[in-house]
Amino acid sequence: MSLDAVRTISEIIAKPRLTLLHAGWIVLASTIGLAALGIDAIDLARPDGAGALASDAKRQLVFLAVGLVAAAIAVVPRTRTLEFLGFPLMAAVLIGLIVLIAPGVPPSIVSPRNGARCWINLGFTDIQPSELGKVAYVMVLASYLRRRSTYRTLLGLIPPGLLAAFPMALILLQPDLGTALLFVPTLVAMLVAAGARLAHLIGACGLGAAFLAAVVVSSLLLAQQGKYPLLKKYQVDRIAALMDRARGDERRLSDRGFQGEAALMVGGAGGLAGHGEERSRALVQFSGLPERHNDMIFAVVLNRHGFMGALLVIGLYISWVGGALLAASSTKDPWGRLTIVGLAAMVATQMTINIGMNIGLLPITGITLPFVSYGGSSLVSGLLMVGVIFNIAMRRPPHLWRESFEYDRINGS
């Protein structure tokens, strides 16, 4: 066999394969369905009164278009190039997070909203670095895990834990507890996918849960003395409001329990099949529900479409996560598999927290419903996730590619 023939065969074996039949389409279709429900709910929750599509809904359509362009761009580069781009993206996010909390930054650049410094004013729009940080964090953590196996030891869990702790700390200082909560479940899911030992993860999660419980109990006790050294007053009030509801205590429904109670009333009024557009619009408007186009939009969807609408939303999220995991299982590339698992865990966790707080099972944390809530940074970063998943799903690994994360069951190497 000639040398040219050997080279040709080697190039064929080593060349990544492209396919148009992959699970990324499921993720994309689910995203479009969720975004369409969101635009309809935003129009219902924030009408202009002129009878046409609300201005916020129009802006959300623009954000959707921008996000689809971002997703299309993310599909273009090869997976290795995409992996490399995670590092400069993470650096830019960290710089943005530092700018948000740095003293002396003029209000024209960073202006607090509801007591939180989460947005940077770029002049033509605002950007929320923590939203892009979710994508960058997953990409960088996947790069770390694919090249190491030390995380299969107890002490080896510390470095990936620190990778999560640094952006979490910067986000908590804004403060934005809701977004910070997403990083830990994502870290655990990616460690499980990479082959970390479950006993180590269970032990670490147990310690983390005990620490969190201690913080909550201490904060509630100190709040009775008017002290808030660990959590902000509004954060303690939200936890206390959930406890009030569990006890059936209605004495503070007009203050700390109002938002949660209003969400339950708006959502519960939808019944099985919801209301017509005009009736639902009136019910939502007169409810006085705060953040009804954003954090509490699931209650609006419930009011408009009822229990059947809730099943549709949850079904679309199950389809989204299932399609993502199907794409992860179809690739042997370790970075791609870990990245998809991380993004799926991020979306699933965020969806669970948001729906939980809308139906009174979790305290209100100020976290959006992915692809549904109003917000440019949230929607664009979510569609960037879709583009990354689509990129990985459409690229089959080269022939003779070894399986990812194979470990000897005896020595754990």
Side-chain angles (χ1 to χ4, degrees):
M1 184 180 295
S2 67
L3 183 59
D4 289 340
V6 171
R7 287 175 178 173
T8 301
I9 294 173
S10 299
E11 289 174 357
I12 293 174
I13 293 176
K15 185 178 180 180
R17 298 167 291 157
L18 298 180
T19 178
L20 292 178
L21 185 62
H22 55 80
W25 292 108
I26 301 175
V27 177
L28 179 60
S30 303
T31 301
I32 298 300
L34 289 166
L37 282 170
I39 291 169
D40 176 66
I42 293 166
D43 177 57
L44 194 74
R46 299 277 291 231
D48 294 335
L53 193 65
S55 56
D56 281 347
K58 292 177 182 177
R59 280 193 286 269
Q60 190 76 347
L61 275 171
V62 173
F63 296 146
L64 177 62
V66 173
L68 288 172
V69 171
I73 293 173
V75 170
V76 175
R78 296 180 61 178
T79 306
R80 286 290 163 266
T81 304
L82 199 61
E83 178 184 359
F84 172 78
L85 291 175
F87 293 94
L89 179 60
M90 191 67 195
V93 166
L94 292 177
I95 292 172
L97 292 175
I98 293 172
V99 168
L100 286 172
I101 61 175
V105 178
S108 60
I109 297 177
V110 178
S111 180
R113 302 180 189 174
N114 299 323
R117 299 169 61 89
C118 301
W119 294 268
I120 296 176
N121 183 9
L122 298 180
F124 60 93
T125 188
D126 293 337
I127 187 171
Q128 191 173 1
S130 59
E131 290 293 337
L132 290 175
K134 295 187 295 187
V135 185
Y137 162 73
V138 169
M139 295 170 68
V140 170
L141 180 60
S143 295
Y144 174 85
L145 294 177
R146 76 177 295 266
R147 291 180 171 84
R148 291 166 178 81
S149 61
T150 53
Y151 54 82
R152 288 179 57 78
T153 66
L154 188 59
L155 291 178
L157 294 178
I158 295 177
L162 292 176
L163 283 175
F166 187 53
M168 281 180 64
L170 293 175
I171 293 171
L172 284 170
L173 289 174
Q174 294 177 4
D176 184 359
L177 178 61
T179 302
L181 288 174
L182 302 177
F183 284 73
V184 174
T186 301
L187 170 64
V188 172
M190 294 178 70
L191 285 169
V192 170
R197 296 184 180 278
L198 291 180
H200 297 163
L201 291 176
I202 292 172
C205 290
L207 290 174
F211 174 75
L212 181 61
V215 169
V216 171
V217 172
S218 301
S219 298
L220 290 171
L221 293 174
L222 290 169
Q224 296 176 1
Q225 306 172 23
K227 300 177 182 178
Y228 302 93
L230 301 174
L231 296 176
K232 301 290 185 181
K233 183 180 184 302
Y234 72 88
Q235 293 171 334
V236 176
D237 284 346
R238 288 170 173 176
I239 297 172
L242 182 66
M243 296 176 64
D244 289 344
R245 187 179 303 114
R247 294 193 300 262
D249 186 350
E250 299 181 355
R251 290 174 298 176
R252 301 197 62 179
L253 282 181
S254 61
D255 46 49
R256 69 188 184 191
F258 175 76
Q259 187 172 9
E261 190 66 18
L264 287 175
M265 292 179 64
V266 169
L272 179 63
H275 299 287
E277 180 181 348
E278 292 305 317
R279 178 173 173 79
S280 182
R281 191 184 301 275
L283 288 171
V284 171
Q285 291 300 310
F286 286 108
S287 70
L289 175 63
E291 300 297 333
R292 53 183 177 265
H293 66 305
N294 199 341
D295 306 340
M296 315 309 291
I297 200 166
F298 185 70
V300 178
V301 174
L302 278 175
N303 187 279
R304 177 69 176 89
H305 302 288
F307 180 70
M308 301 306 295
L311 291 181
L312 175 60
V313 171
I314 294 172
L316 285 171
Y317 279 116
I318 292 174
S319 175
W320 198 101
V321 175
L325 294 180
L326 186 61
S329 67
S330 68
T331 181
K332 297 180 181 180
D333 176 63
W335 179 83
R337 181 173 295 181
L338 287 178
T339 297
I340 294 179
V341 168
L343 295 177
M346 187 77 73
V347 169
T349 303
Q350 186 170 344
M351 175 271 296
T352 302
I353 294 175
N354 182 277
I355 292 179
M357 74 185 195
N358 269 266
I359 62 176
L361 296 179
L362 294 173
I364 295 172
T365 58
I367 197 170
T368 59
L369 188 60
F371 311 112
V372 181
S373 293
Y374 175 78
S377 295
S378 176
L379 185 56
V380 172
S381 65
L383 283 161
L384 187 60
M385 293 182 184
V386 175
V388 171
I389 294 172
F390 204 95
N391 182 313
I392 298 166
M394 68 182 288
R395 286 175 166 80
R396 291 289 184 264
H399 297 279
L400 304 182
W401 188 280
R402 63 170 293 178
E403 288 288 342
S404 305
F405 307 111
E406 293 180 329
Y407 297 101
D408 186 279
R409 294 188 177 184
I410 298 176
N411 58 29
S413 60

